[in-house]
Amino acid sequence: MVTSNASWAYRDEFHDAFARTFYRRFGDGLVSSIGVGTYLGDPTDEVDERYHDAIVEALATGVNVVDTAINYRCQRSERVVGRALADSDVDRDAVLVSTKGGFVPFDGSRPADPGAYIQSEYVDTGIVDPDELVRGSHCMAPAFLDDQLDRSLANLDLDTIDLYYVHNPETQLAEHDRETVYDRLEAAFERLEERAAAGDIDHYGVASWECFRVPADHDSYLSLAAVIARARSAAKAAGNAATHFRAIQLPFNVHMADAFTVESQPAADGPVSTLRLAHEADLDVFTSASILQGDLADGLPEDVNARVAGETAVQRAINFARSAPGVTSSLVGASRTEHVAENVDAGRFEPLGADAFDGTFE
């Protein structure tokens, strides 16, 4: 579990290598504003080894945020994160580890008949009620999340997961109305509040793809204010003095800046952007798709490219994402040590100030 003393000591070891605000507050601790993502890649031993070496390198050079999910690469990403943490010389309590539950995962490789695997592994065993399974692949029922959290703890070989996300809850909107999805989220949150009280997780949140960056009339829209209210109700029902709901994750890059530009979240004085509401609610924001799964390596729009510091297009894309107001850390997938070096070096450059960031949208 990331702690104040360990993360501050980690920061003190590396901060001279980076520009201002590279390390940012998360709770009582500090985390790097660039994190390692583990989504891409085939579920093979070769890719496992590349991720292992990349994560160990990142931890050894100043990055202490590692993000994964149980369904990434058929549970292999979680397992390689656990192995890399064990093999690293960095204090476990200096590292923020986040993972996610929601999509039914395969185990090690994609089965020949995915539907039959889900039926035998999850439905026939009673872990998943068919009525709670959406699109044959997504579930956020409390019993399922219990099972997934236990598997994630085992995969990561950890006693406590720092940040556990409900993964893409907007998937449920394909078959249910918003109120039903809010009800299901609240039930999920109550179970996560119980697991937080038991020490299995430190914080939880929601990792999304669309729901927090689309207009209010979009089919995938969810109100962050409503989600926060459900988390508070869940904490009360679980007997906790305060909610452990701490963070959201969403895509953010120069081509997907909706969390900053789309004002669709209800607030006291009218609709605001998701980043604005998250800041006002004291939530941390972790961005995914910071380099658009590698597409931004080919370059940024000319006006943005001229404003953002960095030696390469990748570095400038990373620095654009972590310059957005309210962003705690920008995640970048890295399964090669040479990519880690380039990504980490982005932190040597100053992020954009608020006025300069606003100027990129003028």
Side-chain angles (χ1 to χ4, degrees):
M1 181 173 68
V2 63
T3 63
S4 176
N5 289 342
S7 62
W8 275 92
Y10 183 86
R11 175 262 185 196
D12 290 346
E13 181 179 354
F14 293 105
H15 81 282
D16 287 343
F18 299 108
R20 65 185 177 88
T21 73
F22 181 75
Y23 292 102
R24 300 174 182 178
R25 286 190 175 273
F26 178 82
D28 294 330
L30 289 175
V31 296
S32 55
S33 55
I34 297 172
V36 177
T38 59
Y39 170 63
L40 294 177
D42 294 328
T44 63
D45 292 346
E46 178 186 2
V47 176
D48 284 353
E49 291 310 308
R50 293 208 309 261
Y51 265 121
H52 171 274
D53 294 347
I55 294 166
V56 171
E57 176 70 12
L59 294 173
T61 53
V63 167
N64 70 335
V65 175
V66 183
D67 179 80
T68 189
I70 194 168
N71 66 304
Y72 289 176
R73 303 177 51 254
C74 305
Q75 300 189 58
R76 284 174 174 261
S77 285
E78 279 194 335
R79 290 166 184 159
V80 79
V81 167
R83 187 158 57 88
L85 288 169
D87 291 343
S88 170
D89 293 330
V90 173
D91 186 344
R92 156 67 185 109
D93 291 342
V95 184
L96 187 149
V97 180
S98 57
T99 192
K100 315 173 187 73
F103 289 105
V104 180
F106 302 131
D107 193 349
S109 61
R110 184 177 176 84
D113 187 338
Y117 171 83
I118 292 172
Q119 180 72 34
S120 63
E121 179 73 12
Y122 288 97
V123 177
D124 292 346
T125 57
I127 296 170
V128 171
D129 184 328
D131 292 338
E132 295 170 331
L133 192 63
V134 170
R135 289 183 168 174
S137 64
H138 190 274
C139 182
M140 55 186 192
F144 175 71
L145 291 181
D146 262 338
D147 172 85
Q148 296 295 279
L149 178 51
D150 288 341
R151 295 185 195 218
S152 290
L153 286 164
N155 287 341
L156 293 162
D157 193 22
L158 296 177
D159 295 324
T160 303
I161 292 168
D162 300 286
L163 180 54
Y164 189 83
Y165 295 107
V166 178
H167 201 176
N168 289 15
E170 63 266 38
T171 306
Q172 297 274 320
L173 290 167
E175 298 180 14
H176 301 288
D177 60 33
R178 284 194 185 91
E179 283 305 309
T180 298
V181 174
Y182 291 140
D183 289 344
R184 291 187 169 197
L185 267 174
E186 184 170 345
F189 290 167
E190 185 174 347
R191 184 58 51 86
L192 294 178
E193 289 285 350
E194 293 167 355
R195 297 299 296 263
D200 299 317
I201 60 174
D202 198 20
H203 304 286
Y204 68 92
V206 167
S208 66
W209 185 251
E210 286 189 313
C211 65
F212 296 140
R213 61 182 187 86
V214 294
D217 59 356
H218 194 281
D219 288 344
S220 294
Y221 173 84
L222 290 174
S223 161
L224 179 56
V227 170
I228 293 169
R230 295 304 185 108
R232 290 172 177 162
S233 294
K236 184 177 180 180
N240 294 336
T243 179
H244 291 81
F245 186 84
R246 178 75 212 185
I248 59 172
Q249 185 181 126
L250 46 74
F252 194 89
N253 58 60
V254 69
H255 294 308
M256 300 169 71
D258 319 79
F260 178 76
T261 60
V262 175
E263 296 182 336
S264 62
Q265 296 295 332
D269 296 326
V272 297
S273 71
T274 295
L275 290 184
R276 175 70 177 272
L277 183 60
H279 174 72
E280 292 177 352
D282 198 28
L283 293 178
D284 287 278
V285 178
F286 293 79
T287 67
S288 59
S290 300
I291 60 173
L292 201 56
Q293 298 182 356
D295 288 353
L296 294 178
D298 294 331
L300 282 68
E302 185 175 341
D303 54 339
V304 176
N305 200 60
R307 292 174 180 263
V308 186
E311 292 178 349
T312 68
V314 164
Q315 290 175 347
R316 290 189 288 274
I318 293 169
N319 284 334
F320 175 84
R322 71 187 189 95
S323 294
V327 168
T328 299
S329 186
S330 294
L331 306 170
V332 190
S335 61
R336 296 181 185 274
T337 54
E338 58 267 31
H339 293 163
V340 168
E342 181 180 14
N343 298 345
V344 172
D345 279 350
R348 295 189 291 107
F349 298 93
E350 298 279 352
L352 292 171
D355 291 343
F357 185 83
D358 288 348
T360 64
F361 295 94
E362 294 176 354

